[in-house]
Amino acid sequence: MREPRVDRWYGLLLRCYPPDFRARFEAGMRDTFRREHARARAGGLTALTAFWLWTSIDAARFGWAERRRRRRGEFSMTSFLTVDFRDALRSLRASPVITLIAILSLALGIGANTALFSILNSLLLKTLPVRDPAALVILDDGSWTNPIWEQIRDRRHDLFEDAFAWSGTRVNLSTRGETDFVDGAWASGGMFEVLGVKPALGRTFTEADDVRGGGPDGPVAVVSYGFWQRRLGGAPDAIGRHLTVDGLDVTIIGVTQRGFLGPDVGRSTDVIVPIGALTLVPGQAKMLDGRSIWWLEIMARLKPGQTIDEATGRLNAVRPQIREATMPQDWGAKDQAGYMAEPLTLSSAATGDSDLRRAYQSPLQIVLVVVGAVLAIACANLANLLLARAASRRHELGVRFVLGATRFRLAKQLLAETGMLAGAGAAIGLLVARWAGPLLVRQLETPTSGVTLDLSLDWRVLVFTVGVTAVTALVFGLAPALGVSGISAADAFKEQTRTVSGDRRFGLRNVLVAVQVALSLALVVGGLLFVQTLTALSTTPLGFDPEGLVAINVDARELGNDRDARLQVYGGLQQAAAAVPGVSSAALSVLTPVGSMRWNTIVEATPATAGLSDRQRAPWVNIVSPGWFRTFGMRIIDGRDFNAHDTAGAPRVVIVSESFARRFFGNDKAVGQEIRSALEGPKVNAFRIAGVVNDAVYSTPRKGFEPTIYVPVAQLDEVLSSAVVSVRATSGSAETLSRDLSVAMARADPRVAFTIRPLSTQLRASMRQERLVAMLGGFFGALALLLAVIGLYGVASHSVTRRRAEIGIRMALGAEPRKVVRLVLGRLGWLLAAGMALGIGLSWWSVRLFEQLLFGLEARDPLTFALAGGILLLAGLLAGWLPARRAARIDPVQALREA
């Protein structure tokens, strides 16, 4: 093909491009075409054909892209996704340190936010994996008795589509020896049908299985998919196998579908047994008939088209009959009247029921705000970093501008770089979240209660992550992009020299640093408050000495209901524990301080308590053996301790705490006084106070001392099937002592099941919420401080670099090094002062949001504010010291030569 014809053909292809594009680039493109065409022709017919093919394709593709870009007003998505991102990748690879810092900062910020949102999503937003969860409602205001459930059950089809009751609890799968607890539940027969949960294997139980004494197949159980995999190896023949649940032999009849963890969010309900089987568990039959035993949750499914208000109205229409049929007979007339008048209310149960949600919803939301503030600080840091980088690239951007790139095109290039940084940070952040989420969940666990949450990636988490990434990219990427408005052709003819005119005192970079300082101060204040709260709780007097105490929880249901037999066994276990080397004393009780169990009783009013409510006259109750106070390091303040003469035939006596004596008897002497209470049922008995003991914390250190009465175990009419043998160690580690105690318990009576734990673990569990908030608040407060220091250092260092010539001139004119240091630190001091002033105001306002989480100090504690301000001021001045010291060592001659 002759050359003129070749040129004419290529000229036709060039017409794919817009006229203004051809006017600027046609000559250069023709020269390149001729060279490439000659090379292809030398390669033979195949090479020449391939050359024309790809030349035609490129002309059509890029010509169309250019025309489309002009039609859309300078923006082409194809160009943005190809050319801009390609150039952005090259630019980021040219500065790997800055790129790595930016990506890691974003990954940590986005990952922490996503991890916390995943937990909140699982706790608050994610619906139960059941049929039509939006139609589920729950009976509000706490737990309910089985008689109340039976009344609702008999009317359920008139009130709702259907309903069920359940009680989540820990069940022991061991028959004897050390206990083997898993999360379980006692549930009514219709639970699986109401929820629409299908079995993965076998069948679920029905109402026919939920009868007292067991259904046609006897006591049965349904296990979770996870339990089937972990404990039974996923064996198909698991159906028909037997388990021992709290001493009851049950047959496994089914495995729930994968992903169903039960109606309790935060727990994995591994073993579910019908409520009716409780009659076969020693000592548990009273749970079904007790009108004052509140232990069940009740959930219902609305009829199609039925609203919550309509269902509530129907329920309250039959409330008088339900209340009348379930009236607690041991309550006083005033309490019974209140019982009859109290309404029944329903609320949505689409997201299930959760004690974990009630305990951690507020703290986790506050921590999410804290983590968001840390991400904002990181964004400000990155914006500063990119502004400095853009300033150093003015020569490069100026050259591009002269060569034809518009300011919009340059801004688009910088936004592409920002988008790549944010995208890479988000991708790594998701990996961080997958690791951090389960780690945070483990912090919510205690030795006696595990936590299981579904942290899988769903659309909410995905939208949250994409949204955070987009906002993050906009926040730290917009400033450099807007900065190209000042680019001019003159910048192409300027090398990157130091200027003698310092930066504007309150320019954009300085504003960003001031915001960083303000946010950091607020987070440091919050972190210090949370850490001080944990410290205050940890040092709160408990009334007993927890060090060296080991609690052995004994389950004696295998022994039957004989009172004397249980007392004898408990006494033998106490003696066996006391005989273990390294044990100084051992004692028996029903409760231990800072434990998870609670026992209260209403004491009849005395002259000093005539004006108190029933709740105020309901002290804690603990059943103890002689020597229990000595074992716990408590002091008898007045009167005497229990002794061997306080038996069933002797006059009934109690020992009361100091706070009980003050509340019930005021300034009168409590010892020798008589109190009356229905301690073990409807019958009211009189008790003589034999002594007064110092107060002890029974609930949590936050709640402090509460009135308590102690009853000798030998005077109980009915001895419970579970008790605690507490021992005080004199030497050796808790692990070694636990092994020795385990052997001693098994030898003393092989029929009992037991759990051994140091009491210190219970104490730590009682403060797990405060420990989590203090740990996260302190960590992110320190991280915010570090980011602020980095930002201050960057501003000071960049200022010294840009003002190098000015500083050189000052020193040449006689300025002393200390004045140069003062110059640099003085400018930094203005930023610190502005940021701290803003931060104090922000902190003063924000502490009211988490005031309820604090303990032992005021939310606006002046010392905490002063300490936080001092820490930030010192850290900021240290951050500026290195650049200031470098400025003081500048050689004036060299600085002027470089200017």
Side-chain angles (χ1 to χ4, degrees):
M1 192 178 292
R2 290 178 299 174
E3 292 302 323
R5 186 178 299 177
V6 169
D7 283 346
R8 284 198 301 273
W9 277 108
Y10 187 63
L12 291 176
L13 291 178
L14 285 177
R15 291 194 174 274
C16 294
Y17 293 93
D20 62 328
F21 183 90
R22 295 199 305 270
R24 292 174 60 189
F25 301 110
E26 183 174 357
M29 294 176 71
R30 283 185 179 275
D31 289 341
T32 303
F33 168 78
R34 293 188 185 102
R35 290 194 300 272
E36 296 295 331
H37 179 266
R39 188 178 298 112
R41 189 171 59 181
L45 182 61
T46 302
L48 187 61
T49 302
F51 168 77
W52 276 106
L53 176 63
W54 286 110
T55 299
S56 302
I57 291 174
D58 286 346
R61 181 163 65 101
F62 290 112
W64 175 80
E66 287 295 329
R67 288 182 181 275
R68 187 162 176 259
R69 180 172 67 87
R70 281 156 176 74
R71 285 198 304 271
R72 294 191 176 186
E74 290 278 339
F75 184 78
S76 168
M77 182 57 68
T78 304
S79 172
F80 185 66
L81 294 177
T82 55
V83 178
D84 290 314
F85 273 102
R86 180 194 63 197
D87 292 345
L89 180 61
R90 290 174 179 171
S91 177
L92 294 176
R93 288 174 60 185
S95 52
V97 175
I98 292 178
T99 301
L100 183 62
I101 291 174
I103 290 176
L104 289 180
S105 299
L106 290 173
L108 288 174
I110 294 174
N113 276 275
T114 303
L116 280 168
F117 181 80
S118 297
I119 295 175
L120 286 171
N121 177 50
S122 181
L123 270 179
L124 306 179
L125 305 176
K126 191 173 288 188
T127 57
L128 292 175
V130 300
R131 173 174 59 88
D132 190 16
L136 295 175
V137 293
I138 191 169
L139 192 57
D140 275 343
D141 299 327
S143 300
W144 305 90
T145 67
N146 189 62
I148 291 176
W149 157 241
E150 290 179 346
Q151 290 292 316
I152 294 176
R153 180 193 64 192
D154 295 342
R155 299 173 172 85
R156 68 188 187 281
H157 293 305
D158 296 328
L159 304 172
F160 328 102
E161 180 179 296
D162 212 337
F164 72 95
W166 87 100
S167 175
T169 184
R170 300 272 287 174
V171 295
N172 178 25
L173 303 185
S174 173
T175 56
R176 55 190 61 187
E178 291 204 47
T179 51
D180 178 18
F181 281 104
V182 299
D183 285 327
W186 301 92
S188 63
M191 185 180 88
F192 298 103
E193 183 179 352
V194 174
L195 293 176
V197 174
K198 303 298 182 183
L201 189 69
R203 70 177 180 90
T204 56
F205 56 71
T206 63
E207 292 184 8
D209 298 297
D210 183 23
V211 295
R212 302 195 180 199
D217 295 328
V220 296
V222 174
V223 299
S224 70
Y225 188 92
F227 183 90
W228 177 50
Q229 293 292 321
R230 294 191 312 271
R231 295 293 192 98
L232 305 175
D237 63 350
I239 305 302
R241 292 191 189 181
H242 287 257
L243 286 176
T244 300
V245 178
D246 286 342
L248 174 66
D249 182 69
V250 299
T251 304
I252 299 175
I253 60 170
V255 177
T256 61
Q257 64 191 34
R258 188 171 191 172
F260 177 71
L261 302 176
D264 290 300
V265 176
R267 298 178 69 251
S268 176
T269 309
D270 286 329
V271 180
I272 309 172
V273 183
I275 290 174
L278 269 172
T279 57
L280 303 175
V281 179
Q284 298 300 306
K286 62 182 180 182
M287 302 289 289
L288 300 185
D289 298 319
R291 296 188 177 187
S292 297
I293 303 177
W294 308 82
W295 63 292
L296 289 173
E297 306 293 332
I298 299 176
M299 188 176 287
R301 178 175 292 280
L302 299 176
K303 295 178 179 181
Q306 187 181 32
T307 66
I308 294 179
D309 290 340
E310 290 172 353
T312 301
R314 289 192 177 190
L315 183 60
N316 279 290
V318 296
R319 172 173 54 85
Q321 297 95 299
I322 295 175
R323 294 291 195 186
E324 184 67 34
T326 59
M327 177 70 71
Q329 298 303 313
D330 56 334
W331 285 16
K334 181 180 178 182
D335 294 327
Q336 289 185 346
Y339 179 80
M340 289 296 297
E342 186 178 4
L344 301 174
T345 58
L346 298 170
S347 63
S348 174
T351 57
D353 185 54
S354 178
D355 291 333
L356 194 70
R357 178 188 302 153
R358 287 183 281 272
Y360 284 97
Q361 177 177 349
S362 179
L364 287 176
Q365 287 174 335
I366 289 172
V367 173
L368 182 62
V369 172
V370 169
V371 177
V374 172
L375 180 59
I377 295 172
C379 289
N381 245 349
L382 292 177
N384 258 327
L385 189 66
L386 294 181
L387 279 171
R389 186 168 176 266
S392 65
R393 295 173 62 190
R394 290 188 70 86
H395 174 69
E396 171 203 339
L397 297 175
V399 170
R400 292 191 179 202
F401 181 73
V402 169
L403 292 177
T406 64
R407 291 186 177 89
F408 179 75
R409 176 70 180 82
L410 296 177
K412 197 153 59 102
Q413 171 67 43
L414 295 178
L415 284 175
E417 295 177 13
T418 299
M420 291 195 74
L421 288 174
I428 301 176
L430 284 174
L431 298 178
V432 172
R434 288 183 63 85
W435 166 80
L439 178 65
L440 290 175
V441 168
R442 285 196 292 272
Q443 306 307 312
L444 307 179
E445 296 178 343
T446 69
T448 58
S449 61
V451 175
T452 303
L453 290 173
D454 179 13
L455 301 182
S456 59
L457 184 68
D458 65 0
W459 67 269
R460 295 183 191 86
V461 177
L462 189 60
V463 168
F464 176 83
T465 305
V466 171
V468 168
T469 303
V471 171
T472 298
L474 187 65
V475 168
F476 77 81
L478 194 59
L482 292 177
V484 300
S485 61
I487 295 292
S488 65
D491 290 301
F493 304 101
K494 295 179 182 178
E495 293 296 329
Q496 293 170 280
T497 59
R498 281 81 176 175
T499 178
V500 296
S501 60
D503 293 338
R504 289 176 298 167
R505 180 171 296 276
F506 294 106
L508 180 58
R509 296 195 65 205
N510 297 335
V511 171
L512 289 173
V513 171
V515 170
Q516 279 183 274
V517 171
L519 289 174
S520 299
L521 180 60
L523 295 186
V524 171
V525 168
L528 288 175
L529 289 173
F530 290 139
V531 170
Q532 289 181 88
T533 290
L534 180 61
T535 302
L537 286 170
S538 301
T539 56
T540 295
L542 302 174
F544 65 93
D545 182 10
E547 293 302 320
L549 280 175
V550 178
I552 309 169
N553 293 81
V554 178
D555 184 348
R557 277 179 285 206
E558 287 286 312
L559 304 179
N561 296 324
D562 185 81
R563 171 189 179 280
D564 294 333
R566 285 181 178 175
L567 269 181
Q568 184 176 358
V569 169
Y570 289 153
L573 295 174
Q574 178 184 344
Q575 293 174 7
V580 171
V583 173
S584 62
S585 63
L588 187 70
S589 66
V590 171
L591 307 181
T592 57
V594 292
S596 57
M597 292 181 61
R598 185 181 184 97
W599 186 346
N600 297 87
T601 187
I602 297 177
V603 176
E604 289 187 355
T606 64
T609 60
L612 299 181
S613 65
D614 288 348
R615 182 181 295 273
Q616 292 172 313
R617 289 187 290 105
W620 281 80
V621 177
N622 197 2
I623 314 299
V624 302
S625 68
W628 187 87
F629 300 113
R630 183 179 70 254
T631 300
F632 273 74
M634 298 173 66
R635 297 174 293 106
I636 299 293
I637 297 172
D638 192 15
R640 66 174 178 86
D641 195 352
F642 296 132
N643 54 46
H645 300 293
D646 296 319
T647 59
R652 294 178 181 270
V653 295
V654 294
I655 293 175
V656 300
S657 65
E658 290 179 279
S659 57
F660 181 96
R662 285 193 300 270
R663 177 174 296 183
F664 281 80
F665 301 104
N667 296 325
D668 295 338
K669 185 179 177 67
V671 174
Q673 299 274 8
E674 184 181 272
I675 61 173
R676 296 177 59 81
S677 176
L679 187 64
E680 297 184 75
K683 183 181 178 182
V684 176
N685 291 309
F687 300 86
R688 187 71 61 184
I689 298 177
V692 177
V693 70
N694 68 275
D695 284 314
V697 172
Y698 268 83
S699 181
T700 66
R702 183 183 286 273
K703 290 188 176 180
F705 299 137
E706 298 175 90
T708 310
I709 62 175
Y710 298 89
V711 181
V713 65
Q715 289 193 338
L716 286 181
D717 294 332
E718 179 184 349
V719 178
L720 299 180
S721 60
S722 61
V724 182
V725 177
S726 300
V727 302
R728 177 166 293 281
T730 57
S731 60
S733 65
E735 291 77 11
T736 302
L737 186 61
S738 296
R739 288 194 297 268
D740 295 340
L741 287 171
S742 177
V743 173
M745 293 296 101
R747 286 177 180 172
D749 196 316
R751 297 172 296 173
V752 301
F754 54 87
T755 306
I756 302 176
R757 287 190 184 91
L759 202 69
S760 56
T761 62
Q762 290 183 192
L763 181 58
R764 285 195 296 272
S766 70
M767 296 185 290
R768 67 186 184 278
Q769 174 184 322
E770 290 82 5
R771 182 173 290 104
L772 174 68
V773 174
M775 179 185 71
L776 295 178
F779 172 77
F780 288 116
L783 182 59
L785 180 63
L786 176 62
L787 290 173
V789 167
I790 293 173
L792 289 167
Y793 173 81
V795 166
S797 181
H798 183 67
S799 175
V800 169
T801 301
R802 289 185 60 82
R803 302 175 68 183
R804 182 179 176 86
E806 173 194 348
I807 294 172
I809 293 173
R810 288 175 179 269
M811 297 188 71
L813 294 175
E816 298 178 359
R818 60 185 179 84
K819 291 186 178 181
V820 173
V821 171
R822 190 189 310 156
L823 174 70
V824 176
L825 291 182
R827 181 175 181 276
L828 201 65
W830 277 104
L831 291 177
L832 274 170
M836 289 177 67
L838 181 62
I840 290 174
L842 179 62
S843 303
W844 195 265
W845 171 82
S846 63
V847 290
R848 65 185 180 86
L849 301 177
F850 54 83
E851 190 172 2
Q852 74 278 8
L853 298 180
L854 303 180
F855 176 83
L857 73 164
E858 295 293 329
R860 292 166 176 170
D861 178 44
L863 290 178
T864 302
F865 275 71
L867 179 61
I871 291 173
L872 189 58
L873 180 62
L874 179 61
L877 293 178
L878 287 176
W881 171 252
L882 290 177
R885 188 166 173 239
R886 177 161 54 88
R889 294 182 176 182
I890 289 177
D891 183 355
V893 177
Q894 185 178 356
L896 293 173
R897 186 182 297 119
E898 292 175 355

